[in-house]
Amino acid sequence: MIHVHQITFGYTPTSPLFEGFTWDVARGEMWAILGPSGCGKTTLLMLLAGLRFPTAGQISIEGRPIHRPRPGTGLILQDYGLLPWATVRQNVELGLRIRALYGPDGKHAPKESLTENRAPYWIDRLGLTEVAERYPSQISGGQRQRTAIARTLVLQPDLLLMDEPFSSLDAVTCHDLQHLTLSLCQEQGITLIVVTHAIEEALALGQKILLLGAPPNRQARIFENPRAGQGQIDRRLHNQLWEEMKRQGHSVASP
Amino acid sequence: MVMKQREITLAALGLLLLWQLAALIVQRPILPGPSTVLLIFVRELGNDLLLHFGASLWRVTAGMALSVLIAAPAGIVIGASPRWNRLVSPIIYLLYPIPKVVLVPIVLLFLGVGDRAKIALIFLILFFQILVLVRDQAVGIPPQLIQSLRSIGAGRRALFRFVYLPASLPAILTALRQSIGTAVAVLYVTELFATKYGLGYYIYYNGSTLLNYPAMYAGVIAMAILGFGMYVVVDWLERRWCAWKFAS
Ligand SMILES: Nc1ncnc2c1ncn2[C@@H]1O[C@H](COP(=O)(O)OP(=O)(O)O)[C@@H](O)[C@H]1O
Ligand SMILES: [Mg+2]
């Protein structure tokens, strides 16, 4: 589904974060991107989301090169993703309103428009009905993250990108949302890519784990983790990733 | 700073009481008591005072509307684009601190003594205030918010509609509130020159030509109502448009 081919990218030309980097994702896979702060995880998501562009090489999704954000891709950033002046309901409906603003022009919105307003369904499904008329500042962190998920699912994506989605939540909420995210993606047939700096989270969510290290990243180092989402953690893989990150950690520039 | 009605009423009564006391102590025609003035105020409303009030209200409202319509979009454009910000900010930095009252004679020279000059002066006072506050607001919008919206298809138009505009509203209203005092003061000054309408003219004419002190104070009260009324309107708009600011 995603084909990252020989890309090079850096915010400054002298210190590239990725250099000739290649990585492939198949449809329906659940990926975790793991690595220490500053290694380029968020940047890789921005490249996949079509918000930044490689200086060399190419990224294509579903066979199409990425030149702008793709309507079928949902992006959830850690904080700040919700409009503070809009209620939960308005935030969930935001994507629909943006599409209504442009019409199905095939650029900002897909040519075939969504036929029904799925916002009420997702608000209900994610347990947000009671807080639907509240502002983001009035709800919990977990509810905010649920709102962001609902907003994305309303647009019926086939690919979901999440940047450290649960890192600021308490352990129980974090566990619940991890579980919810996995089951929703499986149910809706969504390919999932989650960025995290926590090994536990990578092991909980990623059936495959892409480990990034000190830039520039040239090789995709991939770890298979078939036990993701089954409630128990692969200790041996945990230790292996721990050792890898420790080895890399010293050479990563502090963020 | 949204005030409760009861507190405001109490404060108004307290001030009237102080005024009455002062009038009793001073015992001179230049300080009539509030009861005398309020009576004259009501009577003068039947004469020309309402007309003068209307003239002043029109000038200050027109100046405000004009400045919001021009300064707010300009502030958004400057704040949203680092390149524009680098280019324009030094100019704003130079012009912003100039007290706009010193421009009164210049604007009068260029635009004459009619309504145009008076509206232009109000416009100038508010323009920079709104420009600076809206620009700073736009600069402070987290890039993650912009990226989130762009990822669900937002282009420039949707960003303006769903991010920059709602984010700017509190800044615009704050700028208006901060500028009401200065705007009314400058309005008063401009209305001293070659006009036959406006509260400035009315106050000055009654006070120094007719020596009709109660009428002069009635004019002062009308001016106070003008300023206070604008505060009330701004507060009302803020509660309507920026409800999220008050949600906790
Ligand atoms: N907009 C930007 N401009 C310049 N440098 C940036 C920008 N965003 C990130 N960087 C730098 O790029 C590197 C990788 O950042 P990022 O992808 O956010 O890392 P991670 O998400 O893995 O912590 C860091 O050194 C960071 O300082
Ligand atoms: Mg990051």
Side-chain angles (χ1 to χ4, degrees):
Chain A
M1 177 183 206
I2 303 177
H3 189 51
V4 175
H5 184 69
Q6 295 274 328
I7 59 161
T8 296
F9 179 85
Y11 294 98
T12 49
T14 46
S15 55
L17 292 168
F18 297 94
E19 209 170 56
F21 182 82
T22 295
W23 176 46
D24 285 293
V25 171
R27 187 195 303 264
E29 283 182 335
M30 308 282 155
W31 279 84
I33 302 177
L34 177 68
S37 288
C39 68
K41 304 184 296 295
T42 300
T43 304
L44 184 53
L45 275 200
M46 294 294 161
L47 290 162
L48 293 175
L51 294 170
R52 300 235 177 230
F53 304 96
T55 46
Q58 195 182 53
I59 297 178
S60 55
I61 300 181
E62 295 283 64
R64 294 222 196 107
I66 295 297
H67 297 300
R68 66 171 61 90
R70 170 181 170 272
T73 301
L75 173 68
I76 296 182
L77 298 173
Q78 184 179 352
D79 294 308
Y80 315 108
L82 301 178
L83 300 176
W85 42 81
T87 61
V88 167
R89 182 184 309 285
Q90 290 166 339
N91 267 296
V92 172
E93 287 173 348
L94 184 63
L96 299 173
R97 295 186 64 194
I98 290 174
R99 290 191 179 181
L101 186 70
Y102 291 107
D105 61 356
K107 184 178 164 194
H108 302 280
K111 286 245 168 53
E112 66 285 0
S113 49
L114 299 171
T115 44
E116 55 174 333
N117 179 0
R118 300 277 284 165
Y121 170 79
W122 284 115
I123 287 173
D124 183 45
R125 183 82 196 274
L126 288 170
L128 294 166
T129 310
E130 298 218 325
V131 296
E133 307 310 325
R134 296 211 202 146
Y135 294 100
S137 63
Q138 296 174 297
I139 60 179
S140 71
Q143 289 168 329
R144 279 200 284 274
Q145 207 50 266
R146 283 168 186 267
T147 306
I149 293 172
R151 176 170 80 189
T152 306
L153 294 183
V154 161
L155 297 177
Q156 302 178 357
D158 55 7
L159 170 64
L160 181 54
L161 310 173
M162 302 177 101
D163 191 7
E164 314 251 4
F166 313 124
S167 60
S168 57
L169 303 175
D170 64 82
V172 175
T173 312
C174 170
H175 182 266
D176 284 353
L177 279 179
Q178 286 176 347
H179 196 77
L180 179 71
T181 304
L182 280 181
S183 55
L184 286 176
C185 285
Q186 253 144 25
E187 171 196 312
Q188 303 285 318
I190 297 171
T191 308
L192 175 68
I193 300 177
V194 176
V195 157
T196 179
H197 65 263
I199 298 178
E200 288 77 12
E201 182 154 272
L203 288 167
L205 289 173
Q207 288 166 348
K208 295 189 173 188
I209 296 170
L210 170 66
L211 182 67
L212 297 181
N217 286 282
R218 297 197 175 88
Q219 287 263 302
R221 286 183 300 152
I222 295 163
F223 299 81
E224 302 279 342
N225 176 37
R227 281 155 79 178
Q230 290 170 9
Q232 54 180 155
I233 270 178
D234 185 336
R235 280 285 139 209
R236 208 181 48 79
L237 185 52
H238 184 283
N239 292 343
Q240 191 184 350
L241 290 168
W242 179 271
E243 288 303 322
E244 287 280 347
M245 281 182 79
K246 207 161 74 177
R247 201 142 49 81
Q248 291 280 333
H250 299 293
S251 42
V252 174
S254 50
Chain B
M1 194 196 62
V2 178
M3 279 284 163
K4 296 209 177 62
Q5 256 170 2
R6 204 169 58 95
E7 288 162 2
I8 292 172
T9 315
L10 280 179
L13 287 178
L15 283 175
L16 285 178
L17 204 69
L18 277 179
W19 178 4
Q20 183 67 63
L21 273 177
L24 284 176
I25 294 167
V26 174
Q27 287 286 0
R28 287 173 61 187
I30 54 166
L31 187 58
S35 49
T36 323
V37 171
L38 288 180
L39 227 71
I40 299 290
F41 177 78
V42 173
R43 204 191 62 202
E44 284 290 294
L45 280 183
N47 292 339
D48 277 352
L49 185 52
L50 213 54
L51 218 62
H52 294 289
F53 185 87
S56 293
L57 179 65
W58 151 247
R59 287 163 188 156
V60 80
T61 319
M64 281 186 164
L66 207 60
S67 59
V68 170
L69 287 179
I70 296 175
I76 289 175
V77 168
I78 295 169
S81 144
R83 208 147 49 100
W84 273 104
N85 201 3
R86 264 198 308 278
L87 208 70
V88 180
S89 282
I91 304 173
I92 299 175
Y93 186 82
L94 279 180
L95 296 182
Y96 180 57
I98 298 176
K100 305 302 173 299
V101 187
V102 305
L103 299 177
V104 170
I106 304 169
V107 172
L108 287 179
L109 276 178
F110 274 90
L111 292 180
V113 289
D115 270 4
R116 265 200 309 171
K118 297 171 177 56
I119 292 171
L121 275 163
I122 308 254
F123 166 80
L124 278 176
I125 292 166
L126 285 160
F127 178 83
F128 285 97
Q129 200 77 7
I130 295 173
L131 187 73
V132 167
L133 282 180
V134 169
R135 177 200 61 182
D136 293 349
Q137 174 63 52
V139 168
I141 289 173
Q144 289 90 334
L145 191 60
I146 306 291
Q147 285 160 344
S148 289
L149 261 81
R150 295 224 294 126
S151 80
I152 48 177
R156 223 178 295 209
R157 199 146 53 98
L159 285 178
F160 179 81
R161 166 68 188 80
F162 294 113
V163 179
Y164 289 108
L165 188 64
S168 305
L169 281 177
I172 294 172
L173 293 174
T174 302
L176 285 181
R177 187 185 284 118
Q178 287 175 355
S179 315
I180 287 172
T182 323
V184 173
V186 169
L187 180 70
Y188 173 79
V189 173
T190 61
E191 286 180 346
L192 298 180
F193 299 98
T195 176
K196 289 251 176 287
Y197 289 101
L199 291 174
Y201 165 79
Y202 178 88
I203 292 168
Y204 186 76
Y205 185 64
N206 275 297
S208 32
T209 310
L210 301 181
L211 303 182
N212 181 354
Y213 297 120
M216 179 188 84
Y217 280 97
V220 172
I221 287 183
M223 202 99 191
I225 290 176
L226 180 68
F228 178 70
M230 288 193 298
Y231 271 109
V232 171
V233 170
V234 169
D235 277 352
W236 181 78
L237 289 177
E238 190 160 49
R239 252 166 306 169
R240 231 182 109 90
W241 288 342
C242 313
W244 62 283
K245 279 262 165 195
F246 303 100
S248 56

